[in-house]
């Protein structure tokens, strides 16, 4: 009996020890907690570690790097000379990688066109390179993170239904769906969606503001404004299955809603797509095949566009190394899945996954339609038949990218809102933490029926700023009365149209670095992120080779 009781006690004590050990494993704590798997999250983590801070990256993604590692290899850089700090270091590491002849394993370096956005891809003077293969970018990030032994929890999703642990205006901890408790002193939401920001209770906006909100010109509905080639121009394509017959129903991918009044705000979000990495190298090619559920009727509008004489199918098949391409949207009906993403920013994880799958099926079906449908010009069908997904990219997803291009989701309404006046140089930023220079760029937001029953797209804007512009420190921090230890470098405080310029991967990287520098100073001085001395931050950023102001 005594022996039996001793055994029971021993088992009980062992179970307590096991439970305490398990509980300890489910609690994670660091000075700086970064939520997201984007390029901004990675650079933010590297910066925090380099400053001697304990840091944990909580990533919903299994593959890190966001769009930088998911097909956007033809970098939207703007003025490259205004990209400094660790962002520039990333492109230097790309340059170093491709300096080795052995890395050109499918197509030799001397056959590479060396074309980037408005400038050569390979810049020997600065030793940077601006086009690259997705798996190369991912490997560079992974290796860089290992240099600092940064703790990363992958495939960990913020529990959006469970309240944060919070004291007054300060986050103490959040929880993941797997039950982990993540405690920190400063939190950085570097996700594309801004889920942590939203759960914190910080003010934010989804959709387009009206022009009257910030006295802008290019925000809100922009019907009849054509600044790119992503509209129907002179093509008069009837919107109905039977000519001018509303009873016959609209063709797929056309909205039944009225487009609204120009300049008014709305709930709509600019179109998303996957940036496909395709190749013509036979030994590295996965053929384009008929996807599950394919229905050629879903592409009836594209068939009519081809029959009307349009054919610029391959204009945005931008070359990246080793015979591959970064495929982007181009034309009136292309890779952008217009109008199919409005729910995404606020949607549940389940609904987001459904939207992602629908986008994937749409683009896979698009390629198959172009390759096989008799309404497509023979030359285009034959050309498309030579393309396929790259075998050595996204190997665990059959050559298809993991990350949908979330061009825009939530946008914080913070201590300062960046607007087109800042981008266009009409206002001077007093507390710059980095530079932007890309055009005011919004992809189409809706596809609608005109008064004459024709199809048209709306929302595509492309206006170049006169010169690079500064981004405010206050645009990445919430209002002080809402949260005092959160920094948001991706879903930052910006109007829709200003965000169209800011939302570039190099800018997200440099803002991620500035976010961690800001966090470090807040911790060092035991103050809120809002009360960090800007001059101290400025000095630290300049010392790190960040570029903060435009030089004529």
């Amino acid at each position: 009996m005594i022996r039996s009781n001793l055994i029971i006690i021993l088992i009980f004590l062992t179970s307590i020890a096991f439970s305490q050990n398990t509980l300890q494993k489910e609690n994670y704590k660091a000075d700086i907690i970064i939520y997201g798997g984007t390029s901004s999250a990675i650079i933010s983590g590297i910066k925090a570690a380099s400053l001697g801070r304990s840091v944990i990256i909580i990533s919903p993604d299994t593959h890190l790097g966001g769009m930088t590692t998911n097909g956007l290899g033809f970098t939207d850089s703007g003025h490259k000379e205004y990209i400094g700090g660790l962002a520039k270091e990333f492109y230097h590491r790309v340059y170093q990688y491709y300096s080795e002849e052995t890395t050109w394993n499918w197509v030799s370096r001397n056959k590479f066109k060396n074309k980037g956005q408005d400038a050569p891809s390979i810049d020997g003077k600065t030793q940077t390179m601006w086009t690259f293969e997705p798996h190369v970018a991912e490997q560079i990030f992974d290796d860089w993170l290992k240099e600092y032994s940064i703790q990363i929890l992958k495939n960990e999703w913020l529990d959006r239904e469970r309240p944060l642990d919070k004291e007054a205006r300060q986050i103490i901890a959040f929880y993941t769906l797997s039950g982990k408790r993540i405690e920190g002193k400063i939190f950085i939401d570097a996700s594309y969606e801004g889920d942590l920001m939203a759960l914190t209770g910080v003010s934010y906006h989804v959709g387009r503001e009206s022009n009257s909100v910030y006295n802008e010109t290019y925000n809100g509905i922009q019907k009849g404004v054509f600044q790119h080639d992503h509209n129907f121009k002179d093509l008069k394509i009837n919107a109905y299955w039977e000519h001018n017959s509303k009873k016959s129903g609209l063709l797929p991918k056309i909205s039944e809603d009225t487009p609204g009044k120009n300049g008014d705000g709305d709930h709509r979000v600019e179109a998303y797509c996957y940036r496909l990495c395709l190749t013509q190298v036979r030994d590295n090619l996965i053929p384009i095949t008929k996807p599950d559920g394919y229905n050629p009727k879903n592409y009836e509008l594209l068939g009519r566009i081809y029959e009307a004489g349009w054919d610029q199918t391959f204009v945005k098949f931008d070359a990246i190394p080793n015979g591959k391409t970064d495929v982007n949207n181009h034309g009136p009906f292309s890779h952008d899945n217009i109008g199919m993403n409005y729910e995404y920013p606020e949607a549940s994880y389940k609904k987001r996954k459904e939207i992602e799958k629908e986008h994937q099926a749409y683009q896979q079906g698009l390629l198959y339609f172009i390759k096989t449908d008799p309404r497509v010009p023979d030359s285009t069908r034959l050309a498309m038949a030579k393309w396929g997904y790259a075998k050595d990219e996204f190997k665990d997803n059959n050559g298809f990218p993991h990350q949908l291009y979330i061009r825009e989701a939530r946008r914080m309404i913070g201590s300062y809102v960046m607007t087109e006046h800042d981008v266009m140089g009409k206002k001077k930023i007093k507390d710059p933490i980095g530079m932007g220079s890309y055009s005011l760029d919004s992809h189409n937001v809706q596809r609608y029926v005109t008064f004459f029953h024709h199809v048209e797209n709306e929302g595509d804007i492309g206006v170049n700023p006169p010169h690079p512009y500064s981004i405010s420190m206050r645009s990445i921090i919430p209002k002080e009365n809402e949260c005092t230890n959160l920094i948001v470098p991706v879903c930052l405080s910006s109007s829709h149209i200003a965000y169209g310029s800011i939302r570039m991967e190099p800018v997200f990287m440099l803002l991620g670095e500035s976010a961690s520098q800001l966090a470090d100073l807040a911790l060092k001085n035991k103050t809120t992120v809002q009360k960090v001395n800007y001059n101290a931050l400025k000095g630290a950023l300049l010392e790190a080779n960040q570029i903060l102001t435009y030089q004529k």
Side-chain angles (χ1 to χ4, degrees):
M1 177 66 73
I2 294 173
R3 184 179 179 185
S4 297
N5 288 337
L6 286 173
I7 291 172
I8 292 170
I9 292 169
L10 183 61
I11 291 171
F12 177 70
L13 291 173
T14 303
S15 67
I16 291 175
F18 178 78
S19 298
Q20 288 177 338
N21 188 47
T22 302
L23 184 64
Q24 187 178 8
K25 285 184 179 178
E26 294 303 305
N27 281 269
Y28 295 82
K29 187 175 181 179
D31 293 333
I32 299 174
I33 301 295
I34 300 165
Y35 185 72
T38 63
S39 60
S40 184
I42 294 170
I43 294 298
S44 186
I46 290 168
K47 182 64 176 182
S50 73
L51 293 169
R53 294 295 174 183
S54 60
V55 58
I56 306 174
I57 297 175
I58 313 297
S59 171
D61 310 301
T62 303
H63 296 273
L64 300 176
M67 287 309 301
T68 297
T69 62
N70 274 277
L72 209 167
F74 193 76
T75 305
D76 297 318
S77 56
H79 290 259
K80 299 179 179 69
E81 65 272 24
Y82 285 89
I83 298 168
L86 294 178
K88 185 177 181 180
E89 171 65 18
F90 169 78
Y91 297 103
H92 172 62
R93 290 183 179 225
V94 174
Y95 176 89
Q96 288 180 310
Y97 176 88
Y98 286 108
S99 294
E100 301 293 331
E101 289 298 328
T102 54
T103 60
W104 299 84
N105 53 338
W106 294 112
V107 175
S108 64
R109 178 171 178 157
N110 59 15
K111 290 185 178 179
F112 181 56
K113 291 182 180 179
N114 194 24
K115 181 182 181 299
Q117 284 222 24
D118 302 319
S121 165
I122 304 172
D123 186 341
K125 184 178 179 181
T126 61
Q127 295 194 334
T128 53
M129 186 167 173
W130 304 87
T131 62
F132 44 83
E133 298 160 275
H135 78 273
V136 171
E138 184 174 1
Q139 188 61 58
I140 288 171
F141 278 141
D142 286 346
D143 291 344
W144 204 353
L145 289 165
K146 287 176 184 175
E147 289 176 24
Y148 288 91
S149 302
I150 294 172
Q151 185 174 12
I152 306 164
L153 303 183
K154 296 181 180 180
N155 197 28
E156 289 289 347
W157 298 76
L158 174 69
D159 189 340
R160 295 160 62 193
E161 301 300 321
R162 186 171 182 177
L164 302 169
D165 289 347
K166 201 173 177 185
E167 290 182 2
R169 296 165 294 153
Q170 187 173 7
I171 307 167
I172 304 301
F174 66 79
Y175 296 85
T176 67
L177 290 179
S178 67
K180 293 178 175 61
R181 183 177 186 270
I182 313 298
E183 182 178 346
K185 297 175 183 176
I186 302 286
F187 292 80
I188 296 175
D189 185 343
S191 67
Y192 288 127
E193 295 85 2
D195 285 338
L196 178 58
M197 173 192 72
L199 189 61
T200 304
V202 168
S203 301
Y204 64 86
H205 189 85
V206 176
R208 297 182 285 187
E209 301 93 346
S210 70
N211 274 326
S212 61
V213 173
Y214 300 115
N215 193 29
E216 294 175 299
T217 302
Y218 301 109
N219 210 334
I221 296 164
Q222 298 286 318
K223 185 175 58 176
V225 178
F226 305 128
Q227 294 171 334
H228 282 136
D229 291 327
H230 312 316
N231 57 81
F232 287 79
K233 294 188 175 180
D234 296 329
L235 300 177
K236 306 300 181 185
I237 309 297
N238 197 268
Y240 301 100
W241 283 103
E242 295 178 13
H243 189 72
N244 288 344
S245 172
K246 291 185 179 180
K247 290 183 179 180
S248 67
L250 287 169
L251 301 181
K253 303 295 181 181
I254 303 173
S255 174
E256 296 179 352
D257 298 333
T258 56
K261 182 182 176 183
N262 273 20
D264 282 357
D266 61 8
H267 69 286
R268 302 179 180 103
V269 181
E270 63 178 304
Y272 299 165
C273 71
Y274 287 93
R275 295 290 283 259
L276 304 183
C277 184
L278 304 182
T279 184
Q280 291 181 318
V281 178
R282 289 189 178 185
D283 291 341
N284 192 36
L285 184 146
I286 300 171
I288 294 167
T289 56
K290 185 177 180 179
D292 293 340
Y294 172 77
N295 185 348
K297 289 184 178 180
N298 290 332
Y299 306 94
E300 173 67 22
L301 180 55
L302 180 58
R304 293 185 185 186
I305 290 168
Y306 277 123
E307 288 174 335
W310 180 90
D311 190 7
Q312 296 179 16
T313 305
F314 302 106
V315 168
K316 285 302 293 177
F317 276 47
D318 294 311
I320 60 176
N322 281 310
K324 299 172 188 174
T325 186
D326 168 0
V327 178
N328 198 3
N329 180 78
H330 180 79
F333 189 105
S334 183
H335 290 267
D336 278 0
N337 196 5
I338 300 172
M340 298 297 113
N341 63 336
Y342 298 158
E343 293 181 76
Y344 185 93
E346 302 270 42
S348 66
Y349 292 135
K350 180 182 178 183
K351 181 61 180 178
R352 284 180 185 170
K353 186 60 66 177
E354 291 172 1
I355 293 170
E356 290 164 0
K357 287 183 177 179
E358 193 275 335
H359 277 67
Q360 178 171 343
Y362 166 73
Q363 285 185 258
Q364 289 176 326
L366 177 73
L367 295 181
Y368 185 74
F369 180 90
I370 297 170
K371 178 181 175 181
T372 62
D373 197 276
R375 286 171 291 180
V376 180
D378 291 345
S379 59
T380 302
R381 280 190 288 111
L382 291 170
M384 183 59 78
K386 296 178 181 178
W387 289 98
Y389 307 100
K391 281 183 183 178
D392 61 351
E393 301 292 348
F394 318 116
K395 291 181 180 180
D396 55 352
N397 203 33
N398 203 32
F400 202 88
H402 306 101
Q403 172 72 58
L404 180 63
Y405 193 176
I406 310 304
R407 289 190 171 94
E408 186 175 5
R410 300 181 179 99
R411 300 186 311 280
M412 181 170 65
I413 304 174
S415 299
Y416 183 87
V417 180
M418 295 287 295
T419 70
E420 73 176 51
H421 304 295
D422 300 298
V423 174
M424 299 303 287
K426 295 178 181 179
K427 292 176 67 178
K428 185 176 181 180
I429 296 296
K430 298 178 181 178
D431 54 355
I433 56 169
M435 302 287 289
S437 62
Y438 207 78
S439 64
L440 293 165
D441 181 79
S442 172
H443 282 233
N444 277 307
V445 179
Q446 59 178 326
R447 179 176 286 131
Y448 67 98
V449 184
T450 70
F451 177 80
F452 298 102
H453 297 171
H454 298 140
V455 188
E456 192 50 87
N457 299 333
E458 181 275 317
D460 184 81
I461 299 296
V463 178
N464 288 318
H467 53 70
Y469 59 91
S470 299
I471 299 170
S472 170
M473 176 185 82
R474 290 164 292 156
S475 71
I476 67 169
I477 54 179
K479 298 170 184 174
E480 192 168 14
N481 64 354
E482 293 183 340
C483 188
T484 60
N485 67 334
L486 174 69
I487 307 174
V488 186
V490 176
C491 294
L492 73 161
S493 181
S494 168
S495 70
H496 154 71
I497 197 59
Y499 194 78
S501 173
I502 296 167
R503 63 172 180 82
M504 304 303 154
E505 289 291 294
V507 178
F508 286 157
M509 289 188 213
L510 63 89
L511 291 179
E513 178 177 2
S514 296
S516 281
Q517 185 67 71
L518 175 62
D520 176 71
L521 288 171
L523 292 169
K524 187 180 295 182
N525 295 293
K526 298 180 181 180
T527 189
T528 67
V529 295
Q530 289 85 5
K531 286 189 167 65
V532 167
N533 180 276
Y534 173 69
N535 286 330
L537 176 61
K538 177 182 177 181
L541 295 177
L542 290 174
E543 188 175 344
N545 297 314
Q546 285 266 41
I547 302 169
L548 306 182
T549 55
Y550 170 65
Q551 302 296 324
K552 294 182 180 180

